[in-house]
Amino acid sequence: NAGVTQTPKFQVLKTGQSMTLQCAQDMNHNSMYWYRQDPGMGLRLIYYSASEGTTDKGEVPNGYNVSRLNKREFSLRLESAAPSQTSVYFCASSSSTDTQYFGPGTRLTVL
Amino acid sequence: QKEVEQNSGPLSVPEGAIASLNCTYSDRGSQSFFWYRQYSGKSPELIMSIYSNGDKEDGRFTAQLNKASQYVSLLIRDSQPSDSATYLCAVTPPNNTDKLIFGTGTRLQVFP
C-alpha cells in the first residue's frame, strides 16, 4: 500500500516548455487535489476533483490544467511554464471531508 | 483578512515545555478543523482533527476549538526536538466541504 505517489520528484524546465505531473493513490479515495507551496504562502489549492469525472478550480488555477484519468490518477499539466510556477507541488487524496493524505511532492524549477 | 491565519514564528520552546500554537479563521460556519505537521523538505501529515467545541487529546497533543471566538489551537506537551517542524492549520469552508483552506503555518523550534 503505497498511499499517494507523485512523479517526477524533481524537474527543471525552461520558460515555455510543457510538462505533466502525475499523481496516483491506491486508497480508493474519491477526492484528489493539487496544491502548490511557496515560501510564506502556505499550501494553495490549484485544482481538485471531488469524484471521478469531475474537476473544479481552486484558489490559483491559472496556467494549469488537470485530468482525472480514473479513480486512482489525477494529473496536472503546465502547458507553457513560467518562472512564477517555480514551486513545490503536492498531490493529496481523501475519502470524504476528512483527512487528506499527501504525496511526497514535486520540486519544479522554471528557468 | 486571510481566511485562516497563523503566526509564522518561529516559536522557540525548550525541551520538555508546552508549545502552544494558535490559528484563527474568518468563516464562522466552518465545521472541520485540522492540524498538519510538516518537516522541512517533506509533505504535510495529519496529527489532529477536531469538529466540536472543547478539547481533544491524543498522546502529547491537545487540540482546542472555540467556534464562538473562531480559533483553534494545538498544545504539545513535553516538547521534544523531534517536534521541530512547521505546523499547518486547515479549515473546511462551510460552502464547500470538499476542500481545505490552509494557513501559512507556524514554525516550531524545540531546543535541548
Side-chain angles (χ1 to χ4, degrees):
Chain A
N1 190 343
V4 181
T5 57
Q6 291 182 235
T7 56
K9 286 186 169 51
F10 301 92
Q11 184 71 49
V12 178
L13 293 177
K14 294 181 180 179
T15 298
Q17 287 185 318
S18 63
M19 78 162 294
T20 299
L21 281 66
Q22 306 287 354
C23 175
Q25 52 93 7
D26 61 3
M27 296 176 282
N28 201 36
H29 287 166
N30 288 321
S31 302
M32 297 186 74
Y33 309 83
W34 277 107
Y35 293 90
R36 59 177 291 173
Q37 188 173 37
D38 304 291
M41 300 294 290
L43 282 163
R44 292 185 292 170
L45 184 64
I46 304 171
Y47 272 94
Y48 67 102
S49 170
S51 63
E52 186 179 354
T54 68
T55 60
D56 286 285
K57 294 179 180 179
E59 182 184 355
V60 288
N62 291 344
Y64 305 95
N65 286 301
V66 290
S67 295
R68 183 74 184 267
L69 305 169
N70 48 56
K71 191 170 186 179
R72 289 187 64 250
E73 299 172 288
F74 188 38
S75 63
L76 178 71
R77 183 161 178 83
L78 287 69
E79 290 290 352
S80 179
S84 61
Q85 293 178 305
T86 293
S87 188
V88 180
Y89 291 85
F90 289 103
C91 176
S93 71
S94 72
S95 60
S96 61
T97 60
D98 216 282
T99 308
Q100 288 189 18
Y101 295 88
F102 285 81
T106 295
R107 293 185 178 275
L108 175 66
T109 301
V110 182
L111 303 175
Chain B
Q1 182 189 6
K2 291 182 182 176
E3 292 180 81
V4 179
E5 293 206 52
Q6 297 180 255
N7 187 317
S8 61
L11 172 66
S12 293
V13 300
E15 184 174 358
I18 295 175
S20 177
L21 304 157
N22 299 311
C23 170
T24 59
Y25 60 95
S26 60
D27 202 321
R28 184 171 290 278
S30 298
Q31 295 294 324
S32 304
F33 307 86
F34 305 87
W35 282 101
Y36 283 80
R37 177 176 62 199
Q38 186 175 25
Y39 291 113
S40 180
K42 302 296 185 182
S43 57
E45 56 179 334
L46 182 79
I47 51 173
M48 291 287 287
S49 59
I50 187 166
Y51 306 98
S52 305
N53 278 330
D55 295 359
K56 179 181 178 182
E57 187 174 319
D58 183 1
R60 295 186 297 113
F61 298 97
T62 299
Q64 299 175 317
L65 175 61
N66 184 322
K67 290 186 178 180
S69 300
Q70 295 175 238
Y71 83 78
V72 56
S73 62
L74 179 70
L75 300 178
I76 306 175
R77 289 181 300 282
D78 189 23
S79 296
Q80 301 297 310
S82 59
D83 294 324
S84 297
T86 296
Y87 290 80
L88 303 168
C89 173
V91 175
T92 300
N95 60 337
N96 188 338
T97 55
D98 288 325
K99 63 181 186 180
L100 292 176
I101 307 297
F102 283 85
T104 55
T106 298
R107 189 156 65 93
L108 173 67
Q109 294 178 335
V110 181
F111 56 91

